[in-house]
Short mmCIF file of all heavy atoms in Angstrom, two decimals:
data_model
loop_
_atom_site.label_atom_id
_atom_site.label_comp_id
_atom_site.label_asym_id
_atom_site.label_seq_id
_atom_site.Cartn_x
_atom_site.Cartn_y
_atom_site.Cartn_z
N SER A 1 9.02 1.03 14.56
CA SER A 1 9.93 -0.09 14.01
C SER A 1 9.16 -1.06 13.15
O SER A 1 9.87 -2.01 12.51
CB SER A 1 10.75 -0.65 15.18
OG SER A 1 9.90 -1.47 15.99
N LEU A 2 7.87 -1.33 13.46
CA LEU A 2 7.12 -2.42 12.93
C LEU A 2 6.63 -2.12 11.53
O LEU A 2 6.24 -3.07 10.81
CB LEU A 2 5.85 -2.65 13.72
CG LEU A 2 6.09 -3.23 15.24
CD1 LEU A 2 4.90 -3.35 16.02
CD2 LEU A 2 6.84 -4.58 15.19
N GLY A 3 6.52 -0.86 11.08
CA GLY A 3 6.07 -0.58 9.78
C GLY A 3 6.70 -1.32 8.66
O GLY A 3 5.97 -1.99 7.79
N PRO A 4 8.01 -1.43 8.41
CA PRO A 4 8.47 -2.12 7.31
C PRO A 4 8.20 -3.71 7.38
O PRO A 4 8.21 -4.29 6.28
CB PRO A 4 10.00 -1.90 7.62
CG PRO A 4 10.17 -0.66 8.27
CD PRO A 4 9.04 -0.73 9.26
N VAL A 5 8.02 -4.16 8.65
CA VAL A 5 7.72 -5.63 8.67
C VAL A 5 6.28 -5.91 8.23
O VAL A 5 5.99 -6.89 7.60
CB VAL A 5 7.89 -6.13 10.06
CG1 VAL A 5 7.76 -7.58 10.20
CG2 VAL A 5 9.33 -5.76 10.56
N PHE A 6 5.40 -5.00 8.69
CA PHE A 6 3.97 -5.20 8.38
C PHE A 6 3.67 -5.06 6.84
O PHE A 6 2.61 -5.55 6.38
CB PHE A 6 3.03 -4.09 9.16
CG PHE A 6 2.87 -4.55 10.57
CD1 PHE A 6 2.77 -3.60 11.55
CD2 PHE A 6 2.57 -5.77 10.94
CE1 PHE A 6 2.54 -3.89 12.90
CE2 PHE A 6 2.33 -6.14 12.23
CZ PHE A 6 2.26 -5.21 13.24
N THR A 7 4.48 -4.34 6.16
CA THR A 7 4.16 -4.13 4.77
C THR A 7 4.51 -5.26 3.72
O THR A 7 4.34 -5.03 2.68
CB THR A 7 4.96 -2.83 4.38
OG1 THR A 7 6.33 -3.03 4.48
CG2 THR A 7 4.50 -1.55 4.97
N SER A 8 4.98 -6.28 4.33
CA SER A 8 5.35 -7.54 3.41
C SER A 8 4.33 -8.65 3.53
O SER A 8 4.63 -9.67 3.15
CB SER A 8 6.68 -8.09 3.95
OG SER A 8 6.68 -8.61 5.18
N CYS A 9 3.15 -8.37 3.98
CA CYS A 9 2.25 -9.50 4.37
C CYS A 9 0.99 -9.62 3.55
O CYS A 9 0.24 -10.56 3.75
CB CYS A 9 1.91 -9.43 5.86
SG CYS A 9 3.26 -9.49 6.92
N SER A 10 0.68 -8.77 2.73
CA SER A 10 -0.50 -8.68 2.10
C SER A 10 -0.46 -8.67 0.49
O SER A 10 0.11 -7.74 0.03
CB SER A 10 -1.44 -7.63 2.51
OG SER A 10 -2.57 -7.40 1.67
N PRO A 11 -1.18 -9.54 -0.26
CA PRO A 11 -1.14 -9.45 -1.71
C PRO A 11 -1.83 -8.15 -2.20
O PRO A 11 -1.38 -7.56 -3.20
CB PRO A 11 -1.90 -10.61 -2.21
CG PRO A 11 -2.65 -11.12 -1.00
CD PRO A 11 -1.88 -10.69 0.29
N THR A 12 -2.85 -7.74 -1.49
CA THR A 12 -3.53 -6.52 -1.87
C THR A 12 -2.60 -5.32 -1.75
O THR A 12 -2.50 -4.46 -2.62
CB THR A 12 -4.79 -6.21 -0.99
OG1 THR A 12 -5.69 -7.34 -1.21
CG2 THR A 12 -5.51 -4.97 -1.47
N TYR A 13 -1.85 -5.33 -0.69
CA TYR A 13 -0.82 -4.15 -0.40
C TYR A 13 0.06 -4.17 -1.55
O TYR A 13 0.44 -3.11 -2.16
CB TYR A 13 -0.11 -4.43 0.91
CG TYR A 13 0.97 -3.50 1.15
CD1 TYR A 13 0.78 -2.30 1.66
CD2 TYR A 13 2.30 -3.89 0.75
CE1 TYR A 13 1.88 -1.39 1.90
CE2 TYR A 13 3.36 -3.04 1.03
CZ TYR A 13 3.17 -1.78 1.50
OH TYR A 13 4.20 -0.95 1.62
N GLY A 14 0.61 -5.40 -1.95
CA GLY A 14 1.48 -5.44 -3.01
C GLY A 14 1.03 -4.90 -4.34
O GLY A 14 1.73 -4.33 -5.13
N ILE A 15 -0.29 -5.27 -4.57
CA ILE A 15 -0.88 -4.78 -5.90
C ILE A 15 -1.03 -3.24 -5.91
O ILE A 15 -0.71 -2.67 -6.89
CB ILE A 15 -2.34 -5.42 -6.05
CG1 ILE A 15 -2.11 -7.01 -6.43
CG2 ILE A 15 -3.09 -4.79 -7.11
CD1 ILE A 15 -3.42 -7.72 -6.35
N VAL A 16 -1.34 -2.66 -4.71
CA VAL A 16 -1.62 -1.24 -4.69
C VAL A 16 -0.24 -0.61 -4.94
O VAL A 16 -0.05 0.35 -5.62
CB VAL A 16 -2.17 -0.81 -3.30
CG1 VAL A 16 -2.04 0.64 -3.05
CG2 VAL A 16 -3.55 -1.28 -3.14
N VAL A 17 0.79 -1.12 -4.25
CA VAL A 17 2.11 -0.52 -4.41
C VAL A 17 2.66 -0.64 -5.78
O VAL A 17 3.32 0.29 -6.35
CB VAL A 17 3.12 -1.18 -3.34
CG1 VAL A 17 4.52 -0.77 -3.61
CG2 VAL A 17 2.80 -0.81 -1.93
N ALA A 18 2.48 -1.81 -6.36
CA ALA A 18 3.03 -2.15 -7.68
C ALA A 18 2.20 -1.38 -8.89
O ALA A 18 2.76 -0.93 -9.82
CB ALA A 18 3.04 -3.64 -7.99
N THR A 19 0.81 -1.25 -8.77
CA THR A 19 0.11 -0.80 -9.86
C THR A 19 -0.56 0.50 -9.68
O THR A 19 -0.82 1.19 -10.56
CB THR A 19 -1.01 -1.90 -10.20
OG1 THR A 19 -1.94 -2.13 -9.05
CG2 THR A 19 -0.43 -3.26 -10.48
N ILE A 20 -0.95 0.80 -8.45
CA ILE A 20 -1.76 2.03 -8.23
C ILE A 20 -0.79 3.15 -7.84
O ILE A 20 -0.99 4.34 -8.46
CB ILE A 20 -2.77 1.78 -7.11
CG1 ILE A 20 -3.69 0.54 -7.40
CG2 ILE A 20 -3.64 3.09 -6.87
CD1 ILE A 20 -4.53 0.86 -8.73
N LEU A 21 0.05 2.96 -6.88
CA LEU A 21 0.88 4.15 -6.31
C LEU A 21 1.69 4.78 -7.42
O LEU A 21 1.71 6.02 -7.39
CB LEU A 21 1.78 3.56 -5.22
CG LEU A 21 2.26 4.56 -4.27
CD1 LEU A 21 1.20 5.45 -3.68
CD2 LEU A 21 3.15 3.91 -3.19
N PRO A 22 2.33 4.03 -8.42
CA PRO A 22 3.16 4.68 -9.28
C PRO A 22 2.37 5.52 -10.36
O PRO A 22 2.81 6.46 -10.92
CB PRO A 22 3.86 3.53 -10.00
CG PRO A 22 3.90 2.36 -9.13
CD PRO A 22 2.52 2.53 -8.40
N VAL A 23 1.11 5.11 -10.49
CA VAL A 23 0.16 5.84 -11.49
C VAL A 23 -0.53 7.03 -10.84
O VAL A 23 -0.69 8.09 -11.45
CB VAL A 23 -0.79 4.94 -12.16
CG1 VAL A 23 -1.75 5.56 -13.06
CG2 VAL A 23 -0.07 3.67 -12.89
N ASN A 24 -1.06 6.82 -9.69
CA ASN A 24 -1.89 7.81 -8.99
C ASN A 24 -1.44 7.83 -7.53
O ASN A 24 -1.93 7.06 -6.67
CB ASN A 24 -3.44 7.51 -9.13
CG ASN A 24 -4.31 8.62 -8.69
OD1 ASN A 24 -3.91 9.36 -7.63
ND2 ASN A 24 -5.42 8.79 -9.36
N PHE A 25 -0.44 8.70 -7.24
CA PHE A 25 0.05 8.76 -5.90
C PHE A 25 -1.07 9.01 -4.82
O PHE A 25 -1.02 8.40 -3.76
CB PHE A 25 1.06 9.93 -5.86
CG PHE A 25 1.98 9.86 -4.54
CD1 PHE A 25 3.06 9.09 -4.43
CD2 PHE A 25 1.59 10.72 -3.63
CE1 PHE A 25 3.83 9.06 -3.27
CE2 PHE A 25 2.33 10.74 -2.37
CZ PHE A 25 3.49 9.92 -2.26
N ALA A 26 -1.98 9.88 -5.09
CA ALA A 26 -2.97 10.29 -4.04
C ALA A 26 -3.87 9.05 -3.78
O ALA A 26 -4.14 8.66 -2.65
CB ALA A 26 -3.74 11.43 -4.51
N LEU A 27 -4.33 8.44 -4.93
CA LEU A 27 -5.23 7.25 -4.77
C LEU A 27 -4.50 6.08 -4.09
O LEU A 27 -5.15 5.38 -3.16
CB LEU A 27 -5.80 6.86 -6.07
CG LEU A 27 -6.85 5.78 -6.07
CD1 LEU A 27 -8.05 6.18 -5.35
CD2 LEU A 27 -7.20 5.42 -7.48
N GLY A 28 -3.26 5.78 -4.46
CA GLY A 28 -2.43 4.84 -3.80
C GLY A 28 -2.33 5.04 -2.28
O GLY A 28 -2.40 4.23 -1.46
N THR A 29 -2.11 6.37 -1.96
CA THR A 29 -2.11 6.61 -0.47
C THR A 29 -3.31 6.39 0.21
O THR A 29 -3.22 5.87 1.39
CB THR A 29 -1.65 8.28 -0.51
OG1 THR A 29 -0.43 8.53 -1.14
CG2 THR A 29 -1.46 8.59 1.13
N VAL A 30 -4.45 6.72 -0.35
CA VAL A 30 -5.75 6.32 0.30
C VAL A 30 -5.87 4.86 0.46
O VAL A 30 -6.25 4.42 1.60
CB VAL A 30 -6.93 6.86 -0.62
CG1 VAL A 30 -8.17 6.38 -0.09
CG2 VAL A 30 -6.98 8.37 -0.70
N TYR A 31 -5.53 4.05 -0.47
CA TYR A 31 -5.60 2.62 -0.30
C TYR A 31 -4.64 2.15 0.77
O TYR A 31 -4.97 1.14 1.50
CB TYR A 31 -5.29 1.91 -1.70
CG TYR A 31 -6.25 2.12 -2.76
CD1 TYR A 31 -6.06 1.99 -4.12
CD2 TYR A 31 -7.65 2.46 -2.38
CE1 TYR A 31 -6.98 2.35 -5.02
CE2 TYR A 31 -8.60 2.62 -3.40
CZ TYR A 31 -8.37 2.54 -4.67
OH TYR A 31 -9.20 2.75 -5.69
N ILE A 32 -3.44 2.72 0.74
CA ILE A 32 -2.46 2.19 1.75
C ILE A 32 -2.87 2.56 3.16
O ILE A 32 -2.81 1.78 4.12
CB ILE A 32 -1.05 2.86 1.51
CG1 ILE A 32 -0.54 2.27 0.13
CG2 ILE A 32 -0.01 2.51 2.70
CD1 ILE A 32 -0.25 0.80 0.11
N THR A 33 -3.50 3.74 3.31
CA THR A 33 -4.11 4.18 4.49
C THR A 33 -5.23 3.17 4.97
O THR A 33 -5.30 2.89 6.16
CB THR A 33 -4.56 5.67 4.46
OG1 THR A 33 -3.47 6.51 4.07
CG2 THR A 33 -5.22 6.08 5.82
N ALA A 34 -6.00 2.82 4.05
CA ALA A 34 -7.25 1.94 4.32
C ALA A 34 -6.65 0.60 4.87
O ALA A 34 -7.16 0.04 5.81
CB ALA A 34 -8.04 1.73 3.18
N TYR A 35 -5.63 0.11 4.22
CA TYR A 35 -4.94 -1.16 4.71
C TYR A 35 -4.47 -1.05 6.07
O TYR A 35 -4.67 -1.90 6.95
CB TYR A 35 -3.77 -1.53 3.66
CG TYR A 35 -2.83 -2.56 4.23
CD1 TYR A 35 -3.19 -3.90 4.16
CD2 TYR A 35 -1.64 -2.21 4.70
CE1 TYR A 35 -2.29 -4.87 4.66
CE2 TYR A 35 -0.73 -3.20 5.15
CZ TYR A 35 -1.07 -4.51 5.20
OH TYR A 35 -0.33 -5.44 5.67
N ALA A 36 -3.71 0.09 6.33
CA ALA A 36 -3.21 0.23 7.63
C ALA A 36 -4.15 0.44 8.72
O ALA A 36 -4.06 -0.18 9.82
CB ALA A 36 -2.25 1.56 7.60
#
């Protein structure tokens, strides 16, 4: 239940989601995993 809440707290997370994930899904997933 905490996942959606934790994802709203980091500017780096926001950048990865906005700029990396749409372009390179695999690389974005790696960065999100590192954040988590």
Side-chain angles (χ1 to χ4, degrees):
S1 71
L2 294 174
V5 185
F6 279 142
T7 57
S8 64
C9 297
S10 165
T12 302
Y13 172 88
I15 289 173
V16 170
V17 169
T19 64
I20 305 297
L21 198 57
V23 177
N24 191 325
F25 189 82
L27 187 60
T29 301
V30 171
Y31 291 154
I32 293 300
T33 301
Y35 166 78

